[in-house]
Amino acid sequence: MNVEAARSVRDEVVEMAEGSLRASRELVQLSTRKKNNILESMADAVDAGAQRILDANGLDMDAGRAAGLTDAMLDRLLLTSDRIEGMSDAIRAIAALKDPVGEELSNWMRPNGLEIVKTRVPIGVIGIIYESRPNVTADAAALCLKTSNAVILRGGKEAIHSNRAIAALLVEGGTEKGLPEGAVQLIPFTDREAIRELVKLEGLVDLIIPRGGEGLIRAVTEHARVPVLKHYNGICHIFVDESADLEMAVNIVENAKCQRPGVCNAAETVLVHAGVAADFLPLLSDRLSAARVELRGDEAVAAILPSVVPATEEDWRTEYLDLILAVRVVESVESAVCHINTYGSGHSDAIISASETSQRVFSRDVDSATVYINASTRFTDGSQFGMGAEMGISTDKLHARGPVGLDELTTYKYVINGKGQIRE
Amino acid sequence: MNVEAARSVRDEVVEMAEGSLRASRELVQLSTRKKNNILESMADAVDAGAQRILDANGLDMDAGRAAGLTDAMLDRLLLTSDRIEGMSDAIRAIAALKDPVGEELSNWMRPNGLEIVKTRVPIGVIGIIYESRPNVTADAAALCLKTSNAVILRGGKEAIHSNRAIAALLVEGGTEKGLPEGAVQLIPFTDREAIRELVKLEGLVDLIIPRGGEGLIRAVTEHARVPVLKHYNGICHIFVDESADLEMAVNIVENAKCQRPGVCNAAETVLVHAGVAADFLPLLSDRLSAARVELRGDEAVAAILPSVVPATEEDWRTEYLDLILAVRVVESVESAVCHINTYGSGHSDAIISASETSQRVFSRDVDSATVYINASTRFTDGSQFGMGAEMGISTDKLHARGPVGLDELTTYKYVINGKGQIRE
């Protein structure tokens, strides 16, 4: 590594972050109406500049093909007129959401007459580090602006031209309606050093949200001094209890595995109570073989479904993101909980059960962001939760867990109203 | 550094943390009644074992004197019968507080009939790293147990004998009433390596709370992979606005500076609006010189109070923790906000003002955990807030800000009740 170049990347990132900090002081003063006007103007600019985005995206697609990106990766990178319209629609949808900033979270009076008001406020400066999908540029900028946070965007190198075009349009459109300078910034170069420097800027950057594969997230966490809100992966489980409605269980497993296998809230492992294994497993096998799902089972499963692929310890730890499902027979709800807390990722886990006791034990003892009783894990999603829009899902336990919507992009402060009180 | 020794410290810390994780799975199952019985039994054990604690503390005091600790440090280390009674009283007070675990934070129904319940749950495994005062051992253990968190305690080396004695009594007393093994553990050695290893245990430890001087906290943050909730220092400000009741302002400044100068919520800097400087500064000088406070002022202050010590840039950044007060004249509430956001530590800042506009601007724009309107900064404290007990104050913005009480030692999860819903 060239020391002079590294120093210069650091200088540029620090300068950007200082601009973000200044912008964050202005953002906190903007009214909801003003923020919404800025968002509408950003959306208009994206619509009006669609051709600029398409041209830039063409450069990224050419480079992506030359670099041998897979079809799935190219598809995530690709922008079309429809997808650009989707971006501006999403910005307008965020404008239409309730502004959480300034909300009174609680309020109490002390015996000495001090009134303590816990108030929702922006976090300050948020850095978003993400991979290929260029629509994240618009989503993240809009979510941060709505919550009066300044944002530093650092997209993947495959999407650099698209991201630059989108960010430029957002800033142009926003500035017309009073977007503070520095409120939305994209790191314009793709040097990895920029990430390493950004995540160290304690005092300038308040929060880093990495979105992408486990490798990216581990690299961010490795170097971070700034708090990180993240999600490594989604190893989601469905436990079919002894008292389960087996038809419901099959429907839910099929949905959670097959409806969209490549996403984090898809199921990867099914745990079946020994008391219903002989009834349930053939039903499951029939339904899922029709959907071309490969089952990998432990010995107890193989005893009932001889054709199953043998599961290894590694299977319990794997996020397949594919039409493969690990299956294990367990002796009790407690064993299911133990398996989930050992191998799971704290994302989304479901119990299918008619027993209130089992439901209570499972929902209390499974240490995950979202625990489902008789429903598919696929509902872990900001829009499915009714949050309108989301920055992603957190499997961290601090600050925010589960879908990260507008509220989760805020913190609070205490405003205390007195009449001259001093401490005795 | 001896590699073999380091490996062994790591092994020991990992083994402790694995025990904590197992204990945390049991703690989540304990009823409030059971936790309170355990706490009462811990308090009884501390009372019954007071002599053991005093004997151990004697060893620490001897070592402290031999090591040349200052009188203030020796006083913080010293335990007496009264102080031990204070510890057991604090444990009983925590037993009497409301249990936050299991509280329903919110609850809503989606159009598809899914009921989403946001529920308060323990964080899991919390590591507390603290300096000399041995009562933290009891406080932290009790606060964590009440919130169903497993705790790993790592006290300062000066207090190692006292801490070992207190922790042993807590575990003995707690175990009689069913304290899970590993729920309360003290790292029994004082090797610094233990801290470095502990703060890296992502996946085993969920949160680190360091309590102590800035050096300790920086060392922890430097090495941490686990989220850290912390407070570096308290550079608290009082802004005396043009419309301030000057008698109220003098009373509040005197209280905030003098009532207990060595604590983090004491005031360090007073900002005076230029419009009232000529009236206010002589009043301030008279009152504070009677209290033997040294004033350090900028040129505008010196023009009114010629005897003032000239303030340097360094003064604005200093937490004196002593009878010294920096004083600066500012032109407006906006200038006051700018000074506070530049030099402050985000802890506690006050405005003394009769103007609702100034109050609103100040409370909105000062980026601190607690903002006071016409009251002393000395109220930033869990018991003054009515939280009953606290683990400390956070100047971080993520997860918890301001006093860290029972609620702040919890996180949440979503429990979602369905009737077989699958995603379309």
Side-chain angles (χ1 to χ4, degrees):
Chain A
M1 192 183 62
N2 180 317
V3 171
E4 220 163 73
R7 201 174 283 149
S8 139
V9 167
R10 182 179 157 78
D11 287 350
E12 287 199 55
V13 173
V14 167
E15 199 176 300
M16 289 179 75
E18 286 169 346
S20 302
L21 181 59
R22 283 191 299 273
S24 78
R25 306 296 187 203
E26 291 181 55
L27 284 164
V28 78
Q29 302 175 8
L30 298 186
S31 67
T32 300
R33 189 198 180 95
K34 179 134 193 172
K35 292 191 289 186
N36 291 345
N37 287 341
I38 294 170
L39 288 167
E40 296 286 351
S41 183
M42 285 176 161
D44 293 345
V46 166
D47 285 339
Q51 192 55 52
R52 259 166 79 185
I53 300 175
L54 289 173
D55 293 346
N57 188 246
L59 298 176
D60 288 331
M61 290 297 289
D62 290 346
R65 280 186 211 98
L69 295 190
T70 63
D71 284 353
M73 289 166 87
L74 287 171
D75 181 64
R76 287 197 295 174
L77 186 55
L78 178 69
L79 291 176
T80 61
S81 298
D82 276 0
R83 287 184 179 186
I84 292 171
E85 210 178 297
M87 269 198 281
S88 58
D89 285 351
I91 298 171
R92 290 190 186 96
I94 290 167
L97 290 173
K98 191 175 160 293
D99 184 354
V101 174
E103 187 193 341
E104 197 173 298
L105 295 168
S106 57
N107 172 348
W108 66 99
M109 186 74 84
R110 297 293 300 150
N112 61 5
L114 282 181
E115 185 201 17
I116 301 181
V117 184
K118 187 175 180 179
T119 311
R120 209 185 267 289
V121 299
I123 289 173
V125 176
I126 301 182
I128 318 278
I129 300 169
Y130 52 105
E131 291 180 327
S132 56
R133 291 195 311 145
N135 67 308
V136 174
T137 306
D139 286 356
L143 287 163
C144 286
L145 180 67
K146 182 78 187 199
T147 46
S148 301
N149 291 296
V151 68
I152 299 175
L153 301 155
R154 204 288 191 182
K157 67 173 186 310
E158 329 73 47
I160 184 70
H161 297 96
S162 312
N163 288 335
R164 276 193 205 137
I166 296 164
L169 289 164
L170 295 172
V171 170
E172 285 168 32
T175 303
E176 275 178 35
K177 297 290 179 181
L179 178 74
E181 193 184 337
V184 174
Q185 294 184 82
L186 176 80
I187 296 183
F189 42 90
T190 58
D191 195 321
R192 275 247 163 182
E193 187 68 17
I195 295 180
R196 286 194 288 272
E197 295 300 338
L198 181 66
V199 304
K200 283 181 190 158
L201 298 182
E202 220 194 339
L204 285 175
V205 176
D206 295 297
L207 172 64
I208 295 288
I209 304 181
R211 289 183 56 171
E214 199 169 337
L216 171 74
I217 295 168
R218 295 228 174 260
V220 165
T221 314
E222 177 96 11
H223 295 95
R225 296 280 171 80
V226 171
V228 177
L229 192 61
K230 63 193 173 293
H231 132 235
Y232 282 124
N233 51 31
I235 301 177
C236 303
H237 300 76
I238 297 174
F239 168 54
V240 180
D241 191 24
E242 197 166 15
S243 64
D245 172 334
L246 298 187
E247 180 63 21
M248 181 197 286
V250 170
N251 290 338
I252 286 176
V253 172
E254 180 189 30
N255 181 257
K257 179 73 261 178
C258 307
Q259 195 244 0
R260 210 172 153 200
V263 294
C264 61
N265 57 21
E268 307 294 2
T269 300
V270 167
L271 304 168
V272 183
H273 194 290
V276 290
D279 292 331
F280 178 71
L281 288 172
L283 294 175
L284 181 74
S285 173
D286 286 354
R287 182 77 69 88
L288 292 193
S289 63
R292 299 196 211 173
V293 176
E294 174 186 323
L295 298 186
R296 300 192 184 171
D298 68 352
E299 288 182 14
V301 172
I304 297 165
L305 302 176
S307 66
V308 86
V309 177
T312 66
E313 176 81 6
E314 198 50 32
D315 282 294
W316 313 135
R317 302 186 187 280
T318 301
E319 185 184 26
Y320 300 116
L321 298 173
D322 202 350
L323 290 174
I324 304 171
L325 183 71
V327 188
R328 184 175 199 175
V329 172
V330 295
E331 293 303 316
S332 62
V333 61
E334 288 78 12
S335 312
V337 167
C338 183
H339 178 102
I340 293 169
N341 285 341
T342 304
Y343 297 106
S345 58
H347 193 297
S348 302
D349 301 288
I351 180 173
I352 318 301
S353 174
S355 150
E356 281 186 22
T357 305
S358 296
Q359 293 175 3
R360 189 177 49 78
V361 167
F362 188 89
S363 61
R364 182 192 64 193
D365 293 352
V366 166
D367 187 16
S368 295
T370 47
V371 179
Y372 291 87
I373 298 167
N374 295 327
S376 170
T377 55
R378 288 279 293 114
F379 290 107
T380 304
D381 175 290
S383 64
Q384 293 294 323
F385 268 49
M387 293 175 174
E390 64 161 36
M391 186 67 94
I393 308 284
S394 161
T395 57
D396 281 341
K397 289 173 149 188
L398 273 279
H399 186 71
R401 228 179 162 188
V404 177
L406 293 176
D407 287 356
E408 291 72 24
L409 294 175
T410 66
T411 180
Y412 60 84
K413 69 168 130 180
Y414 293 103
V415 176
I416 297 147
N417 292 300
K419 296 195 169 88
Q421 284 89 338
I422 59 174
R423 186 147 168 199
E424 305 287 310
Chain B
M1 191 182 62
N2 182 317
V3 171
E4 219 163 77
R7 201 174 284 149
S8 140
V9 166
R10 182 178 157 77
D11 288 348
E12 287 200 55
V13 172
V14 167
E15 198 176 300
M16 289 178 75
E18 286 169 345
S20 301
L21 181 59
R22 282 191 300 273
S24 77
R25 307 295 188 205
E26 292 181 55
L27 283 164
V28 78
Q29 303 176 6
L30 298 187
S31 67
T32 300
R33 190 198 178 93
K34 180 132 193 175
K35 292 191 288 186
N36 291 343
N37 286 341
I38 293 170
L39 287 167
E40 296 285 350
S41 183
M42 285 176 161
D44 293 345
V46 167
D47 285 340
Q51 192 56 50
R52 260 166 78 185
I53 300 176
L54 289 172
D55 293 346
N57 188 244
L59 297 176
D60 288 332
M61 290 297 289
D62 290 346
R65 280 185 210 100
L69 295 191
T70 63
D71 284 354
M73 289 166 85
L74 287 170
D75 181 63
R76 288 196 294 173
L77 186 55
L78 178 70
L79 291 176
T80 61
S81 298
D82 276 0
R83 287 182 179 185
I84 292 171
E85 209 178 298
M87 269 198 280
S88 57
D89 284 351
I91 298 171
R92 290 190 186 96
I94 290 167
L97 291 173
K98 191 177 160 294
D99 184 354
V101 174
E103 187 193 342
E104 195 174 299
L105 295 168
S106 56
N107 173 349
W108 66 99
M109 187 72 85
R110 297 293 300 149
N112 60 6
L114 282 181
E115 186 201 17
I116 302 181
V117 184
K118 187 175 179 180
T119 310
R120 208 185 268 290
V121 299
I123 290 173
V125 176
I126 301 182
I128 318 279
I129 301 168
Y130 52 104
E131 290 180 329
S132 55
R133 290 194 313 146
N135 67 307
V136 173
T137 306
D139 286 357
L143 287 163
C144 287
L145 180 67
K146 182 79 187 198
T147 47
S148 302
N149 291 296
V151 67
I152 300 175
L153 301 155
R154 204 289 191 182
K157 68 173 185 308
E158 328 74 47
I160 184 68
H161 296 97
S162 312
N163 288 334
R164 276 192 207 141
I166 296 165
L169 288 164
L170 295 172
V171 171
E172 284 169 32
T175 303
E176 274 179 38
K177 297 290 179 182
L179 178 74
E181 193 185 339
V184 174
Q185 295 184 80
L186 176 80
I187 296 183
F189 42 89
T190 59
D191 196 322
R192 275 246 162 182
E193 188 67 18
I195 296 180
R196 286 193 289 272
E197 295 301 336
L198 181 66
V199 304
K200 282 181 189 158
L201 297 182
E202 220 192 337
L204 284 175
V205 176
D206 295 296
L207 173 64
I208 294 288
I209 304 181
R211 291 183 54 171
E214 199 168 338
L216 171 73
I217 295 168
R218 295 227 175 263
V220 165
T221 314
E222 176 96 11
H223 295 95
R225 295 279 172 80
V226 171
V228 177
L229 192 61
K230 62 193 174 293
H231 132 234
Y232 281 125
N233 51 32
I235 301 176
C236 303
H237 300 76
I238 296 172
F239 168 54
V240 180
D241 191 25
E242 198 167 15
S243 64
D245 172 334
L246 299 187
E247 180 63 20
M248 181 197 284
V250 169
N251 290 339
I252 286 176
V253 172
E254 181 189 28
N255 181 258
K257 179 74 259 181
C258 307
Q259 195 245 0
R260 210 172 154 199
V263 294
C264 61
N265 57 19
E268 306 295 1
T269 299
V270 167
L271 303 168
V272 184
H273 193 291
V276 290
D279 291 333
F280 177 72
L281 289 173
L283 294 176
L284 181 74
S285 172
D286 285 357
R287 182 76 71 88
L288 292 194
S289 64
R292 298 197 210 174
V293 176
E294 175 186 322
L295 297 186
R296 299 191 185 171
D298 69 352
E299 287 183 13
V301 172
I304 297 164
L305 302 175
S307 67
V308 86
V309 178
T312 66
E313 176 81 6
E314 198 48 33
D315 282 296
W316 313 134
R317 303 188 186 279
T318 301
E319 184 184 26
Y320 300 118
L321 298 173
D322 201 352
L323 290 174
I324 304 172
L325 183 70
V327 189
R328 184 175 198 174
V329 172
V330 294
E331 293 303 316
S332 63
V333 62
E334 288 79 11
S335 313
V337 167
C338 182
H339 177 101
I340 293 169
N341 284 341
T342 305
Y343 298 106
S345 57
H347 193 297
S348 301
D349 301 289
I351 180 173
I352 317 302
S353 174
S355 152
E356 281 187 23
T357 305
S358 296
Q359 293 175 5
R360 188 177 50 78
V361 168
F362 188 89
S363 61
R364 181 191 64 193
D365 293 352
V366 166
D367 187 15
S368 295
T370 47
V371 179
Y372 291 87
I373 298 167
N374 296 326
S376 169
T377 56
R378 287 279 293 115
F379 290 107
T380 304
D381 175 290
S383 64
Q384 292 295 321
F385 268 49
M387 292 176 176
E390 64 163 36
M391 186 68 95
I393 308 284
S394 162
T395 58
D396 281 341
K397 289 172 149 188
L398 272 280
H399 186 71
R401 229 180 160 187
V404 177
L406 292 177
D407 286 356
E408 291 72 24
L409 294 175
T410 66
T411 180
Y412 59 85
K413 69 167 134 185
Y414 293 103
V415 176
I416 296 148
N417 292 299
K419 297 195 168 83
Q421 284 90 339
I422 59 174
R423 187 147 168 199
E424 307 285 312

